[in-house]
Structure formats: structure tokens, C-alpha cells
Amino acid sequence: MSAHSVAPGAQAKRFAAYLNRLAQAAEHADRATPLKSYCTGLLLPGERKSVEPMAARIYPDKVRQAHQSMHHIVADAAWSDEDMLEAVRAYVLPQMEQKGSVVAWVVDDTGFVKKGTHSVGVTRQYCGQVGKQENCRVAVSLSVSTEHVSLPIAWRLYLPEVWAMDGKRRKKAGIPAEIRFQTKPAIALQQIRTALKREIPVGVVLADAAYGTDTKFREELSDLGLLYVVGIMSSVTVWKPGQGPLPAATGKGQGRPTKYLRRNPRHAPVTVKTLALALPPQAWKKVCWRRGTRHQLQSRFAAVRVRPAHRDFERSEPYPEQWLLIEWPSGEAEPTKYWFSTLPAEIPLKGLASMAKQRWIIERDYEELKQELGLGHYEGRGWRGFHHHATLCIAAYGFLVAERSRFSPSVRAGRLGLSIPEMPPQFRPRGSPGSPRAA
């Protein structure tokens, strides 16, 4: 059954009811109409999802007035992003769980290439969107995922240290006083703690190597009682299977006895890459983890039980054993990906690999949020506007996720049954070629 097979107007009625829920989270009644208009504009067809084109599409007879009110709801209105995302989750998650339980919490970040230096958080840093150092800003997110769909439930801009320490730029961008410099893993852990407090159904934490290589990040997840499958860099060190650090040296009766673990040139850890290359051929197995759009997705994997070795000479107890999962696709000269995992020791290789690959789902979310819902189209420079725009993009996307869970995964932005007037034929967004307002 597809969403298009239901009675005409049924989807529009559900969307209206959903927007009413969101309007309550905005607190003030005068925010309801522009908030609903903004979310509607994000879901309509159109290449540009900045405020002015959306206002022209929804209110062709009063573009200027609509533009002002929609701009205010995003750039200036003091509603809570956290409360809004909570309202989104409360509606969408039950729909997601109709088709399967939560299996994972996905930590990720995404970059937005940006010219200039005045937009909040912009600096030269690594940008995943282009795969290199670029002038951009980066946001960290936490998503809840079932096997088939996922939804971002937390979102925050990574504020580089050069911004965090610059009082003048902070004031101009409206950065809240309580926001201080935090690493991306620290932001993610804060989002995870909040999700636990809100009693959101727990899943296995998934993250790429930018997070998983951080030993403190992994330790904090375990301290919170969470299982994880996280990427690591090939240079991370471990003890070979069955090995571990030497115990603390025995005291000789003089001085304070040492309590720290030891290693020496003959008994030392190795990098995960070195360990992987030394595994016998029979250690590698072909695993199919899910059906793709055209064929089964598969690769070669090996998994061994190891102890991490990061600075364990400063510890009195060795790290617990966990899985080291390695992917070495056929035809590649060496392994391409590595993961640490605290999933149970008895889990089969296919289950371990499938969970590691579940992180792919957030890539689809970001692709749609950016290409179809205009996640990167906000033109303002301030902290509040950046987060409000992203929150409403996630809110609009949440309705798509709910509809997919209810009917069909083919439901997409721009194809919903929403009746909207056509954009004025002579309209040109501010600054576009041919616009009388182009500077």
C-alpha cells in the first residue's frame, strides 16, 4: 500500500495535526502560523529552501509579509530546539516502532561549506561533504534508528575553539553564554546522556572513527551501560588475541610498590592493521548484511577478541576484551575499515557486521535533509537561526519518516498531497540573477 492510495486529503489532515503538535512546542500562539508555513515550505518542491522563496511559494499574494514572519520564527523567536525535537520524536518514534524496534543510536556529524568568516562556527576544518579541509561549519547529531528508518533527535553546532574564545564574535552571533568549546565526541556524549534521561528506547551506539578512536568516548559509553560498534583508525593498538599487558612489578621491600601494568620490547601491543594483515586466510568470511537497491550488499570480514592497549601502562587493570571487526573487500590491497565492539562474545560474524553497517542509514538522512529539505540553505549568520532552521528541517523530515513507516519507503519530500498556490511567475529571490533587488 502506498501513501498515494489513501483517500485524498488524508495525508494533508495528518500533516495538519502534526503541525498543531509542533506549534504547541513553540509556546506562543503568534508563532503557530509562521512555524507551520516554514515546515510546509521545506516539504514543497523547489530548489531553494531559504525563507524568501518559501514565502513566495506559499503566499504568492503577500510575499513580503510572509517573509518577515517566517524569518522571525527562525532567526529571532526564542522557542526551544530541544522541546521542538522532543515533540517531533514523540510523534514519529511510535510510527517507526510499528515496523520494528529501535536497534541503534547513530552518532554522526555533517559539514556545510560556507564562504566568509562571519557565519557562526565557520572556520577552515575537515568537511565530510567535500572530503577535505574547507571553510565550513560542522554540526553533531544523534539519531534513533530501527532496521529500516532513522530520525535525528539531537543536533548541535560544533563551535571551534577560535570561536569559543572570541567574545566579540560570540556576541555578534548570539552564542549563549553557557556554550563553551567541546570536542565533537564530548558533544555527542552530552546528547546521549540527554537521550537516556528522556528514556528514549536504547540502541547500540554506532559512530565512525572520528569518535570511536577516542578512548574516553568508548569508556563513557560503557560507563553509561551502552553497547557500541564504533569505527577506529588503523593505527589503534591492541593486544593480540589471548594476550594482555604484563602485571605490575612485584615489590622488593623498598619504596612504594608500583601498581601499573607493564610492557617491554618482547611483549608489546600491535596496531590493528598489523594484526589484520597477520590473520590466516581462513579467518576471512564473506558476509551479506542486507539487500541493496539492485543486489545483496556483501564483503569480507574477520572478527577477533582483543584488548585495547591505549596507554594501559598508566592503568592498574587491563581493558576488558571486546570485538575487533575488520573489513577487507575482495580486490583491495589491504583492509579498509576497523571497528571496536562490546556486543556479546557469542554474536555471530554476520550480526556483528550487520550492526556495523547499520550506520549507513544516517547517510541517507543527511542526503535527503540537504538535497530535498534545504538543511544547508539557511542564509543567516546567528546561532539561534542556524539551530532553529535545522530543527524545523528535522521536524519536516520527521513527518516523511512517519509516513514511510505507516505506508511506503518511497514517500519523498515534494510529493506529499499538499495544495499550495503557484509561485508568482515574475518572482526572483533576493540576490538572484535578474532580481530587481540584487545588490
Side-chain angles (χ1 to χ4, degrees):
M1 180 179 186
S2 75
H4 301 290
S5 66
V6 298
Q11 191 176 68
K13 289 179 180 178
R14 288 194 299 275
F15 185 54
Y18 177 65
L19 292 180
N20 286 336
R21 283 172 170 252
L22 302 186
Q24 292 177 8
E27 297 180 348
H28 294 294
D30 58 354
R31 297 173 183 166
T33 297
L35 184 143
K36 293 177 181 180
S37 299
Y38 202 94
C39 289
T40 301
L42 293 170
L43 286 170
L44 293 176
E47 294 184 1
R48 191 70 187 167
K49 301 296 177 71
S50 53
V51 180
E52 195 173 17
M54 291 195 299
R57 191 169 292 112
I58 300 172
Y59 299 102
D61 297 328
K62 46 180 180 178
V63 176
R64 184 174 180 181
Q65 180 182 347
H67 174 236
Q68 290 175 343
S69 63
M70 291 170 65
H71 179 268
H72 174 77
I73 195 67
V74 172
D76 302 315
W79 48 271
S80 167
D81 292 288
E82 291 75 16
D83 290 348
M84 187 67 66
L85 289 175
E86 177 71 7
V88 173
R89 183 199 62 77
Y91 175 87
V92 180
L93 188 55
Q95 300 297 328
M96 293 170 58
E97 291 182 304
Q98 291 293 322
K99 295 292 182 68
S101 59
V102 170
V103 298
W105 286 4
V106 186
V107 171
D108 205 1
D109 56 66
T110 189
F112 304 88
V113 176
K114 193 78 173 177
K115 296 180 180 180
T117 60
H118 299 292
S119 295
V120 63
V122 168
T123 192
R124 190 165 181 81
Q125 57 189 317
Y126 179 79
C127 180
Q129 183 179 355
V130 294
K132 62 179 182 179
Q133 292 280 324
E134 187 59 83
N135 206 54
C136 69
R137 48 188 174 189
V138 177
V140 178
S141 67
L142 175 66
S143 296
V144 170
S145 171
T146 66
E147 185 176 349
H148 301 291
V149 292
S150 59
L151 173 74
I153 60 169
W155 170 274
R156 216 207 81 180
L157 179 70
Y158 164 70
L159 192 67
E161 198 164 7
V162 292
W163 269 87
M165 302 300 291
D166 190 328
K168 185 176 180 180
R169 285 208 290 182
R170 287 180 65 101
K171 182 177 180 180
K172 191 171 183 178
I175 300 171
E178 66 271 17
I179 299 297
R180 293 289 181 261
F181 173 73
Q182 287 180 293
T183 64
K184 295 168 191 173
I187 294 172
L189 285 170
Q190 188 175 50
Q191 294 173 337
I192 288 169
R193 294 188 197 101
T194 299
L196 288 171
K197 289 179 181 178
R198 297 198 173 194
E199 299 182 342
I200 294 171
V202 173
V204 178
V205 177
L206 310 180
D208 65 19
Y211 298 86
T213 299
D214 188 319
T215 301
K216 290 183 178 180
F217 178 77
R218 302 194 310 270
E219 288 184 311
E220 181 67 18
L221 293 179
S222 294
D223 289 345
L224 291 171
L226 298 170
L227 300 175
Y228 61 74
V229 182
V230 293
I232 56 172
M233 297 175 64
S234 62
S235 57
V236 169
T237 57
V238 297
W239 294 96
K240 294 179 181 180
Q243 292 187 4
L246 298 171
T250 303
K252 297 182 179 179
Q254 296 181 349
R256 180 180 297 177
T258 181
K259 61 179 181 179
Y260 295 121
L261 301 171
R262 296 176 298 132
R263 59 180 69 170
N264 59 46
R266 296 186 304 276
H267 186 84
V270 298
T271 67
V272 293
K273 179 178 178 179
T274 298
L275 176 58
L277 293 173
L279 290 176
Q282 60 268 28
W284 300 95
K285 308 292 183 184
K286 183 180 292 186
V287 174
C288 301
W289 63 88
R290 72 175 175 87
R291 179 76 184 176
T293 55
R294 296 182 179 177
H295 50 75
Q296 288 281 352
L297 300 180
Q298 61 182 26
S299 188
R300 290 197 314 155
F301 293 89
V304 291
R305 300 287 288 174
V306 299
R307 294 185 188 275
H310 177 71
R311 302 188 69 84
D312 59 3
F313 50 80
E314 297 178 347
R315 295 170 55 92
S316 58
E317 295 290 336
Y319 291 105
E321 269 193 348
Q322 58 185 269
W323 284 111
L324 169 63
L325 176 66
I326 312 155
E327 181 181 4
W328 191 343
S330 299
E332 294 290 340
E334 62 182 42
T336 56
K337 293 181 181 178
Y338 305 82
W339 296 265
F340 274 153
S341 174
T342 54
L343 289 176
E346 61 272 15
I347 189 171
L349 178 61
K350 182 175 180 178
L352 192 59
S354 296
M355 185 57 70
K357 289 296 185 177
Q358 180 67 19
R359 203 188 72 81
W360 72 271
I361 203 165
I362 192 64
E363 304 297 336
R364 181 186 67 184
D365 291 346
Y366 276 139
E367 180 180 356
E368 290 191 280
L369 280 163
K370 288 183 175 182
Q371 294 183 6
E372 298 192 30
L373 281 88
L375 182 61
H377 292 179
Y378 182 66
E379 297 173 348
R381 295 175 173 177
W383 175 274
R384 176 175 289 169
F386 176 83
H387 287 88
H388 277 4
H389 173 75
T391 294
L392 295 183
C393 285
I394 292 169
Y397 185 66
F399 183 72
L400 285 180
V401 172
E403 291 296 288
R404 287 169 177 169
S405 301
R406 184 188 296 267
F407 296 114
S408 166
S410 65
V411 178
R412 301 184 69 83
R415 299 179 186 175
L416 299 176
L418 307 178
S419 178
I420 301 297
E422 293 185 4
M423 185 182 292
Q426 302 303 318
F427 174 77
R428 295 291 182 274
R430 188 186 310 272
S432 64
S435 169
R437 292 165 292 180

